[in-house]
Amino acid sequence: MRRVTKLARWRWLAVACAMALLASACGGGNDDDDGGGGGGGGVAAEATAAPSTSSGDDDAPAPSGDSGSDDQPSTDGDDGGQDGGDGSEGSSDPQPAATEAPPAELEPQYGGTLVVGLEAETTNGLNPVNAQAATSGHILFRALYDTLTLEGDDGQIVPNLLESFSSNDDFSEWTLTLPPGIAFHDGTPADSAALKRHFEENAKGTLTGIAIGDWDLQEIQIVDDLTVKLVLGGPFAPLPYFLSSHLGYFGAPAMHDMGAEGAARNPIGTGPFMLEEWIPNEITRMVRNPNYWRTDSQGRSLPYLDALEFRPIPDTDGRFAALRSGDLDATSVNTGIRVDEYNEQFKTFWQDEKYNETTYLLLNNSRPPFDNVEFRRALAQCTDVQTFNTVRWDGQAPATGPFSPGTPGYLEDAGFPAYDPDAGSAAIARLGITSVELGTTNDPANLLNTELIAALWGDCGLDVSITQVDQAELITNAVFGLFTAFLWRQHESYSLGAERVWWHSKFSSGVALNFGRINNPAIDAALDEVLTTNDPERLRELAESINRAFGEQVHYLWTYHSNWLAATHDHVHGVDNLTLSDGQEHEKLFSGRFFLTEAWIEQ
């Protein structure tokens, strides 16, 4: 356990400020220089078709934990992540514009192995039913499996592996239809029987079962060889969104036949790549699926690559060094530091400002002293978020709630307490609280973030101790409520309904996905109504009401909205390209996830 003393606090702040000034001079960037997120020289994230239309990812954007961990469990598509691994490394909300004309059109080339750096290992293996996976896990899963649906770039869920989905008038029955001719890696058909088994297995999962339990699934009917009907006990309008993430990664019945442990090491999906080797914390190697069903926009077979190698490198500095040295071809990054270095040394593709995750102090509202709203409000008043963001996240204006600008629910002023250390100190003294504990991961970047928060709270009279654990333990502690507070990264809020499992009091006890153990009737009521409507304006109103409820009760302490970038070498093309039917486009670099289906290497 590390304790932050008064002298250490001031020494850390002096060093941190010097680091910030140096970063600004040497390539750290700032809001004024690069549009509020430091993405100055990168390529803007925008939709593209197939890599044949250009260098691939030059036209597309290339592109969970304490301050950035990658392996927060996700059941619904809103995959949280400790913001420590990379969230501590952070990313403001850059919206860089292309600074030079795209290169001449290049023809995709087949062959080669792409080496990709990830911010974390995916715990519990490669079966989405049981895996604790955030961004890195989803990148792996998008190579092994096809999700049933996908986030469209217009805010609407679109079919991916599914041919179609539809509901009855009150959203209590959902009909899902697969296209003909799709096979799993083992050659067995991806048909309605397999899809029924898929939902049955997910209903048994420790975490996925929580989400499906909220559907009140009564029956899975096989309509024909390619169609199933989900009969629910009541309305569930956001259901298609859940099929874009953990609940949508379609695994073969043969995989589930192996049991939890066997399936974790022997994933069988319909995706563009098949697992060849997995050595935890060292390498995950996948090889081309020769029978993959999808083609590019010109009708060419996919994928182009022979193989993928994923290497988990939790240390953000180490991952940057590996990319610069050529040990990696590509990586995803959630950073507000080294923005100019990434933009200048690599091809970079940034996520748009909309649907950004939020980095915040996750507080356990059920454990003293964080169960006291007056104390939580005092902590907010003692947290100089602008200083924190300037030192650790490229100067972004403080977040006002869990919704990033452009996302339904965003408010410039949601009623969150302003920085007022005098008022905060007085309240803490009046409450007689003298010490608190903060948790973090073993990543040095996460520790720096946490030490800065501890320093700010120390200036309000609190003695702050810091406990470090590995990412997997931190996530487990969150699920079981065995923590007080730590930095976290989550809530892109593409679907408000997906936030139910994270914010509704129904999910706040025992093995819980409402990690903060929030119990707020106003939030519950809004999230209940979400199940009955898909009207965009009403959903916006409900999201805004939730934002105000967070501001009033200070359940969490917001810091910044963190978007993602993908960085690659010049010889890499087509990152996050994906050809969908009817010319549809998917949301690029969504929560740092990207597709490698159409990635290719210039030989």
Side-chain angles (χ1 to χ4, degrees), residues 130-148:
N130 297 306
Q132 293 180 348
T135 299
S136 292
H138 286 287
I139 292 172
L140 293 174
F141 292 160
R142 286 186 172 202
L144 290 168
Y145 306 92
D146 292 298
T147 55
L148 297 171

Side-chain angles (χ1 to χ4, degrees), residues 118-141:
L118 301 177
E119 65 173 359
E121 180 61 270
T122 297
T123 56
N124 290 357
L126 301 175
N127 174 11
V129 173
N130 297 306
Q132 293 180 348
T135 299
S136 292
H138 286 287
I139 292 172
L140 293 174
F141 292 160

Side-chain angles (χ1 to χ4, degrees), residues 446-502:
N446 296 343
L447 180 60
L448 284 173
N449 279 0
T450 305
E451 286 181 335
L452 179 50
I453 294 294
L456 295 170
W457 290 1
D459 290 337
C460 278
L462 287 171
D463 184 15
V464 184
S465 58
I466 297 174
T467 300
Q468 289 182 271
V469 297
D470 63 35
Q471 285 185 11
E473 184 177 351
L474 192 70
I475 293 167
T476 300
N477 290 345
V479 170
F480 287 95
L482 304 176
F483 73 98
T484 52
F486 47 73
L487 281 163
W488 198 255
R489 184 194 67 221
Q490 197 174 358
H491 309 305
E492 80 282 343
S493 298
Y494 185 95
S495 166
L496 185 60
E499 303 295 353
R500 273 178 60 83
V501 294
W502 310 114

Side-chain angles (χ1 to χ4, degrees), residues 286-332:
M286 304 177 191
V287 295
R288 184 179 192 268
N289 175 5
N291 301 309
Y292 189 52
W293 59 275
R294 195 191 306 266
T295 60
D296 69 10
S297 63
Q298 304 301 314
R300 290 175 291 228
S301 63
L302 292 170
Y304 302 124
L305 294 167
D306 287 336
L308 297 171
E309 288 186 4
F310 296 99
R311 300 177 185 174
I313 307 176
D315 180 19
T316 55
D317 290 337
R319 201 159 66 255
F320 176 85
L323 186 63
R324 184 169 54 185
S325 70
D327 289 341
L328 300 177
D329 296 309
T331 189
S332 65

Side-chain angles (χ1 to χ4, degrees), residues 287-437:
V287 295
R288 184 179 192 268
N289 175 5
N291 301 309
Y292 189 52
W293 59 275
R294 195 191 306 266
T295 60
D296 69 10
S297 63
Q298 304 301 314
R300 290 175 291 228
S301 63
L302 292 170
Y304 302 124
L305 294 167
D306 287 336
L308 297 171
E309 288 186 4
F310 296 99
R311 300 177 185 174
I313 307 176
D315 180 19
T316 55
D317 290 337
R319 201 159 66 255
F320 176 85
L323 186 63
R324 184 169 54 185
S325 70
D327 289 341
L328 300 177
D329 296 309
T331 189
S332 65
V333 186
N334 186 237
T335 184
I337 299 177
R338 286 188 166 167
V339 167
D340 286 351
E341 289 180 85
Y342 273 105
N343 285 337
E344 292 167 4
Q345 298 184 35
F346 311 107
K347 286 179 10 181
T348 55
F349 308 90
W350 291 85
Q351 179 189 7
D352 286 335
E353 182 180 56
K354 196 174 184 180
Y355 305 127
N356 285 184
E357 293 174 310
T358 300
T359 292
Y360 59 98
L361 265 296
L362 177 64
L363 310 179
N364 189 336
N365 286 229
S366 70
R367 293 184 66 172
F370 298 99
D371 59 345
N372 187 323
V373 65
E374 186 177 359
F375 179 65
R376 297 196 301 268
R377 187 173 293 111
L379 283 182
Q381 293 170 325
C382 289
T383 306
D384 185 354
V385 177
Q386 188 61 72
T387 291
F388 180 85
N389 291 356
T390 298
V391 174
R392 298 301 297 162
W393 195 256
D394 207 20
Q396 180 188 141
T400 62
F403 306 100
S404 63
T407 304
Y410 171 77
L411 295 169
E412 288 189 12
D413 182 3
F416 191 78
Y419 176 56
D420 187 346
D422 292 338
S425 297
I428 289 171
R430 184 171 61 254
L431 292 170
I433 298 169
T434 59
S435 63
V436 293
E437 178 186 349

